Amino acid sequence: MKSEIITHKDPKSPISEVFKTLRTNLQFMSHKNNDAISLLVTSTMPGEGKSWVTSNLGVAFAQSNKKVVIIDSDMRKGR
């Protein structure tokens, strides 16, 4: 999983910038900067990148000094 966390490994890469843009857009969706944001990342099929997106987005939030908790509820193939 460590090699998959691009936002930590290479914070200046184009993919990292996409996650930072997504983070900023999600922050603008909350009405106040102090509001907690809860997200659910899901898909219809296994292997579509839920863990990858969640971990990289979590790192992007953490890099902006936000507290992040990620809960993996996949009982069969948790990552």
Side-chain angles (χ1 to χ4, degrees), residues 10 23 63 71-72:
D10 188 8
R23 174 199 68 203
Q63 287 173 342
I71 300 172
D72 186 352

Side-chain angles (χ1 to χ4, degrees), residues 8-72:
H8 179 67
K9 183 179 177 183
D10 188 8
K12 301 288 185 185
S13 73
I15 294 173
S16 296
E17 293 300 323
V18 170
F19 281 107
K20 290 176 187 176
T21 301
L22 179 58
R23 174 199 68 203
T24 302
N25 288 336
L26 289 169
Q27 287 174 327
F28 278 126
M29 284 176 50
S30 67
H31 298 290
K32 298 177 185 174
N33 288 338
N34 295 330
D35 284 350
I37 298 174
S38 296
L39 298 173
L40 172 68
V41 179
T42 188
S43 69
T44 57
M45 300 287 293
E48 290 185 326
K50 297 175 292 292
S51 297
W52 182 74
V53 168
T54 303
S55 60
N56 281 288
L57 186 58
V59 169
F61 272 102
Q63 287 173 342
S64 68
N65 296 322
K66 300 291 183 189
K67 293 180 183 179
V68 178
V69 175
I70 297 175
I71 300 172
D72 186 352

